[in-house]
Amino acid sequence: MYPFERHMKTLKAYVRNQARPEGCIAESYLADECMNFCNEFIKSTIGLNKKKHRNEEWVNDVLFEGRPISRKHDFTMTDEWLEIAHRYVLLNTSIVEPFLEMHKDELRKTNQIYARNSGLLWKRHVETFPKWLKEKVPIDKGEENDLLKWLAYGPRKQAISCTGFIINGQRFNVEDDKKTTQNSGVSIDATTMCRSSAKDQSQVADVVSYYGVLKEIILLDYHTFQIPLFRCLWANVPNGIRIEDGLTLVNLEESQSQFVKDPFILASQAKQVFYSRERDSSWHVVMMARPRGFYELEYYDRHEYMPIILENNIETRLDDVVEEDQYVRVDCEGTLV
């Protein structure tokens, strides 16, 4: 009965004149039906029953993904920051992946040292790949919709900055010292070269979790589209991150010179986290934040939880079912409704 009781509450809210409740309900119900009917034939409108989500992204042909939620400001990037940001975009874009392996193969063929040492190969690959890709994929002014060519050509020095951004159903804001509540916690799982110590020469690629604070939101302009980047202040690895009793602790006051030349990530890669601090300690407990409207459904194998049927259980056989059985009373006449 709960759905009907809920609907009765809606109908009672239509009453404005206590002396004529039926008339008020009829008029308001007819008005809602007319509005819903008209909305079906009017484009770019939201129906009365369709609520727009707070962290919903807009469809925009200029912005590559997500949407800003604050006032935008134009600024000019330095040559160093522009080179670092452009290099990160190229190394983390799926459309460029085939050219990454092609460039590595050329480096291995030109110098045998790169074939033997993966660390030197990766360093040389990162330094020379943007210039190599620009020569490999020349820009054609007649084809303005080719994504790969505009990526190879590079971004403009004039970029756009904002303080708030919505991506993947989550709302991010840059760190503000004046606010007690923050949406600036950022986490990312990245594949990187790992080694046990500074003297270890055999590096292994592995997935590492990084934690930081969002400092700036940049919309990098590639002439025909914009790619959002987050400039973050990352916690030192491994001295600034530790795990105790199943909880991840992060020290945001540890020396962060490790990521001075690599502070950018794509907005689509960012996961929102919150930092809980106890008293005056410099260590923060990491708490993951789920997107608004996201629910985790428990998945289980139906064969794993099938009940065991014992031999002594009574089973219903198809032969025991009689089709002539009737489940209607015959001692009285039915009433048609």
Side-chain angles (χ1 to χ4, degrees):
M1 292 298 295
Y2 183 71
F4 303 99
E5 293 174 358
R6 249 181 111 176
H7 188 61
M8 289 299 298
K9 180 182 179 181
T10 303
L11 296 179
K12 289 179 181 179
Y14 291 156
V15 178
R16 297 293 184 270
N17 186 356
Q18 300 294 335
R20 299 289 186 271
E22 297 89 349
C24 294
I25 293 175
E27 283 188 359
S28 300
Y29 186 84
L30 181 60
D32 286 346
E33 289 292 323
C34 293
M35 292 298 297
N36 288 329
F37 179 80
C38 294
N39 283 335
E40 296 294 333
F41 298 93
I42 300 177
K43 296 182 179 180
S44 66
T45 58
I46 301 176
L48 296 177
N49 299 328
K50 296 180 181 179
K51 183 179 178 180
K52 189 173 181 181
H53 296 288
R54 182 171 180 261
N55 293 342
E56 185 178 357
E57 301 177 20
W58 295 344
V59 179
N60 196 331
D61 296 334
V62 179
L63 189 60
F64 200 68
E65 52 195 352
R67 68 179 175 96
I69 55 175
S70 62
R71 187 176 180 180
K72 296 182 287 188
H73 303 277
D74 298 335
F75 73 102
T76 302
M77 296 187 65
T78 61
D79 295 336
E80 182 182 3
W81 285 119
L82 187 66
E83 180 182 355
I84 295 174
H86 176 51
R87 181 172 62 237
Y88 187 87
V89 171
L90 293 181
L91 296 178
N92 293 272
T93 306
S94 58
I95 196 174
V96 189
E97 286 184 0
F99 295 91
L100 296 176
E101 295 299 328
M102 190 184 304
H103 183 235
K104 291 180 183 179
D105 293 339
E106 289 189 7
L107 291 177
R108 293 189 187 98
K109 294 178 182 179
T110 55
N111 196 334
Q112 294 297 328
I113 298 179
Y114 299 142
R116 296 190 301 265
N117 193 325
S118 59
L120 292 178
L121 173 63
W122 177 257
K123 183 178 179 180
R124 184 63 177 173
H125 165 68
V126 171
E127 293 175 352
T128 60
F129 180 72
K131 183 179 180 181
W132 175 88
L133 183 64
K134 188 174 183 180
E135 298 174 354
K136 197 75 175 180
V137 187
I139 187 67
D140 187 2
K141 299 299 183 180
E143 300 180 6
E144 297 183 356
N145 297 325
D146 196 338
L147 177 63
L148 178 60
K149 292 184 177 181
W150 283 112
L151 283 173
Y153 185 73
R156 301 171 54 193
K157 294 188 65 175
Q158 286 72 25
I160 299 175
S161 176
C162 57
T163 58
F165 200 80
I166 290 179
I167 187 72
N168 297 332
Q170 294 178 323
R171 180 180 297 254
F172 292 90
N173 295 97
V174 298
E175 186 182 24
D176 190 355
D177 297 334
K178 299 180 181 179
K179 293 183 179 180
T180 57
T181 58
Q182 303 284 338
N183 289 335
S184 57
V186 177
S187 172
I188 182 176
D189 296 331
T191 303
T192 183
M193 302 300 295
C194 304
R195 55 185 178 181
S196 59
S197 63
K199 298 180 180 180
D200 187 8
Q201 299 297 329
S202 58
Q203 300 181 8
V204 179
D206 195 5
V207 178
V208 180
S209 297
Y210 296 90
Y211 301 94
V213 177
L214 180 58
K215 288 296 184 180
E216 188 178 8
I217 302 173
I218 299 175
L219 304 182
L220 208 58
D221 190 0
Y222 280 87
H223 303 274
T224 60
F225 56 89
Q226 297 173 350
I227 295 182
L229 294 176
F230 288 173
R231 185 177 69 83
C232 306
L233 198 62
W234 299 103
N236 191 3
V237 178
N239 297 331
I241 301 175
R242 68 185 184 189
I243 298 177
E244 291 184 1
D245 299 331
L247 300 175
T248 303
L249 303 179
V250 176
N251 188 352
L252 299 176
E253 298 178 3
E254 189 74 19
S255 176
Q256 299 170 341
S257 59
Q258 181 181 4
F259 303 101
V260 170
K261 294 186 178 180
D262 192 14
F264 295 104
I265 62 170
L266 295 176
S268 58
Q269 297 175 334
K271 298 179 182 179
Q272 191 172 54
V273 296
F274 294 101
Y275 300 114
S276 176
R277 186 174 181 176
E278 183 179 358
R279 299 179 183 177
D280 297 333
S281 176
S282 59
W283 291 91
H284 300 71
V285 179
V286 178
M287 297 182 295
M288 301 299 297
R290 297 178 182 178
R292 182 181 290 267
F294 173 80
Y295 302 94
E296 278 192 4
L297 300 179
E298 295 183 359
Y299 174 79
Y300 62 91
D301 189 359
R302 63 184 182 90
H303 298 288
E304 184 180 353
Y305 294 91
M306 288 293 290
I308 301 176
I309 301 176
L310 301 178
E311 295 180 358
N312 296 332
N313 287 357
I314 300 176
E315 299 180 2
T316 304
R317 300 176 181 270
L318 294 178
D319 299 338
D320 299 336
V321 180
V322 182
E323 296 180 357
E324 288 78 14
D325 290 346
Q326 296 182 0
Y327 299 93
V328 182
R329 295 184 61 177
V330 294
D331 57 342
C332 60
E333 295 183 359
T335 302
L336 297 177
V337 179

